Amino acid sequence: MPVSQRLVSSPLVKKLATEYSDRWLYSRLLTNLSTKYLYPLTTRVMGDVVFLDWAYEEDPPMALPLDASDEPNRAHINLYHRTATQVDLSGKRVLEVSCGHGGGASYLVRTLRPASYTGLDLNPKGIAFCQKRHQLPGLDFVHGNAEDLPFADQSFDAVLNVEASHLYPRFPRFLTEVARVLRPGGHFLYTDVRPRIHVEEWQAALAEAPMRLISKRVINEEVMRGIDTTHQDTLAFLGPATRRAPAFLRGLISQVNELRASTFQKSLQTGENTYEIYCFAKD
């Protein structure tokens, strides 16, 4: 058996891959490690990747008309499109909190035509990457903390947050900040995942947020379908790492990524995780 297969079948690798559905992922320890080390490392090593979210596809398929350059990221774009188009963003001032590598920001600016779009992220290397990679009129990127947004009250018509808030140590504080920077009549467009053991706490925080719930939907099936339509070597952000890694490690990276994806899919299928999409309004 090749070394990569022996490694990927080891109890340690399997444990690390399955941690996605366990409490550890949502712990303060992982938040700190991700902020200080994981995401800056991701930016440095995997600079070709502009989407860090999972994936989304409906039945029948959404079939969005995409530029050729966007086509490889279709399943990730689907998630951004479905979240953002819960309201009309044309001519609006939009803030995306935790914009990652800016792929969603670039797509939404080019297709939905907001008046302005600001992407904020805690990873300074990611912001530098976005500023260099995505240069579009009306689009800017700033370094900042989701729990202490560096903007004046009532600065935006819409706030977008895609698959990021599970890493915020003080999630209710984030919701308060969202409401503060939204103008009256503005919207919070939101999607994320939580393990079953944290769903009650998550939903309680959302119910107490100073915003009015417009809609809510569980999208487990759509996310699982999106993962199915996304090639495992490019899923999330491990594809470029596979191509750049030494030959003897490429098989291991690919197999660990496939195991991670299948484990996450299974957690959605069994209800160990739930992925939901929301729209809130500020009165």
Side-chain angles (χ1 to χ4, degrees):
M1 179 185 295
V3 173
S4 64
Q5 290 185 20
R6 291 202 303 271
L7 285 171
V8 80
S9 63
S10 70
L12 176 58
V13 170
K14 287 184 176 181
K15 181 177 187 300
L16 290 174
T18 56
E19 289 291 0
Y20 195 97
S21 61
D22 294 334
R23 182 186 297 269
W24 180 80
L25 175 67
Y26 306 90
S27 68
R28 187 176 296 272
L29 172 62
L30 182 62
T31 299
N32 293 336
L33 290 174
S34 298
T35 299
K36 293 181 180 179
Y37 304 109
L38 177 59
Y39 288 123
L41 178 63
T42 298
T43 301
R44 186 167 69 249
V45 175
M46 304 171 186
D48 294 338
V49 175
V50 295
F51 285 91
L52 303 180
D53 56 286
W54 280 100
Y56 179 98
E57 183 58 281
E58 297 176 355
D59 185 17
M62 293 173 66
L64 296 174
L66 298 181
D67 292 342
S69 60
D70 288 325
E71 189 60 45
N73 294 308
R74 174 174 289 277
H76 306 289
I77 285 173
N78 285 345
L79 181 62
Y80 263 85
H81 184 89
R82 183 57 66 219
T83 305
T85 57
Q86 293 181 97
V87 299
D88 181 7
L89 294 183
S90 61
K92 303 294 178 61
R93 298 165 295 170
V94 180
L95 168 67
E96 181 184 351
V97 180
S98 298
C99 62
H101 284 179
S106 173
Y107 167 77
L108 295 177
V109 166
R110 287 182 282 117
T111 59
L112 302 188
R113 308 298 183 185
S116 66
Y117 193 110
T118 300
L120 173 140
D121 204 276
L122 191 58
N123 174 13
K125 293 186 181 297
I127 290 299
F129 170 86
C130 289
Q131 291 169 338
K132 182 178 180 180
R133 179 67 177 267
H134 308 293
Q135 297 182 7
L136 295 169
L139 174 60
D140 70 307
F141 297 94
V142 298
H143 177 249
N145 191 326
E147 297 172 359
D148 188 17
L149 297 175
F151 307 107
D153 297 356
Q154 302 183 19
S155 296
F156 298 97
D157 300 301
V159 174
L160 181 74
N161 187 252
V162 175
E163 199 182 296
S165 71
H166 57 268
L167 288 173
Y168 299 165
R170 300 177 297 168
F171 178 63
R173 168 69 180 177
F174 161 65
L175 295 175
T176 299
E177 281 290 275
V178 169
R180 180 182 66 79
V181 301
L182 275 176
R183 66 165 181 81
H187 292 88
F188 176 41
L189 311 170
Y190 172 61
T191 187
D192 206 359
V193 60
R194 289 292 191 282
R196 181 167 54 193
I197 57 175
H198 286 186
V199 167
E200 183 176 353
E201 177 185 1
W202 182 34
Q203 293 181 344
L206 290 170
E208 294 172 2
M211 294 173 285
R212 175 170 50 88
L213 177 65
I214 301 297
S215 63
K216 166 190 171 181
R217 185 163 62 92
V218 175
I219 57 172
N220 289 11
E221 293 291 333
E222 289 83 357
V223 173
M224 287 189 288
R225 191 177 297 112
I227 293 173
D228 280 337
T229 63
T230 305
H231 191 277
Q232 300 302 319
D233 285 343
T234 59
L235 183 66
F237 50 79
L238 290 179
T242 302
R243 295 192 294 272
R244 295 187 181 121
F248 75 94
L249 284 179
R250 290 173 190 165
L252 174 62
I253 294 172
S254 179
Q255 290 174 68
V256 168
N257 192 35
E258 185 170 353
L259 179 60
R260 175 175 174 264
S262 63
T263 298
F264 184 56
Q265 282 184 299
K266 183 178 180 180
S267 77
L268 293 173
Q269 186 175 32
T270 62
E272 288 301 311
N273 274 312
T274 183
Y275 207 127
E276 300 181 358
I277 186 170
Y278 291 85
C279 178
F280 290 87
K282 178 181 176 180
D283 292 327

